[in-house]
Amino acid sequence: MMDSKELHDILAQNINHLIDDKDSKTPSMRYLSTCIDANESYIQKILSGSSFPSMDKLIAIANHFEVEPWTLLFNHSKRGEEFEDTLMLLASCPHNMIPVIREYIRYLMSKEENE
């Protein structure tokens, strides 16, 4: 089970990564704060651990960077790029495909256990 500090650390790491990305058009924490209609120090407070964004602000941050909100809370270092890519593919699948994909994954896992 994840505690709130661990989740906060993941969020801060992901926001920092997005800000530091060479393709990012976000030059500073202050700029990001104002882009999401927040106080100039809002992002700094999040990254320092003294605040956690509301759901509305989490979505605004995600929209600013053009990413899905859940990716801000995803531990990229723990799961890896392949796992994230697979989740993105699943998210883009038509809803009626999900049960078939789930059962196929279960089938593959049972085959792995039996070997």
Side-chain angles (χ1 to χ4, degrees), residues 52-94:
F52 199 86
S54 67
M55 187 59 73
D56 289 341
K57 292 301 183 193
L58 185 71
I59 291 169
I61 294 167
N63 287 341
H64 175 80
F65 288 109
E66 299 178 351
V67 299
E68 293 291 327
W70 65 266
T71 63
L72 296 174
L73 302 172
F74 181 76
N75 189 346
H76 301 272
S77 63
K78 192 173 188 178
R79 295 292 189 164
E81 193 172 311
E82 282 184 354
F83 189 82
E84 183 180 357
D85 290 344
T86 303
L87 288 175
M88 296 296 265
L89 285 171
L90 284 172
S92 67
C93 286

Side-chain angles (χ1 to χ4, degrees), residues 5 13 22-23 26-27 29-30 35-36 41 45 50 52 55 70 76 80 83 85-86 90 92 98 115:
K5 181 179 178 347
Q13 180 181 16
K22 64 181 173 74
D23 296 328
T26 305
M29 292 180 276
R30 179 176 291 161
C35 285
I36 63 168
S41 63
K45 289 177 183 176
S50 64
F52 199 86
M55 187 59 73
W70 65 266
H76 301 272
F83 189 82
D85 290 344
T86 303
L90 284 172
S92 67
I98 300 299
E115 291 181 0

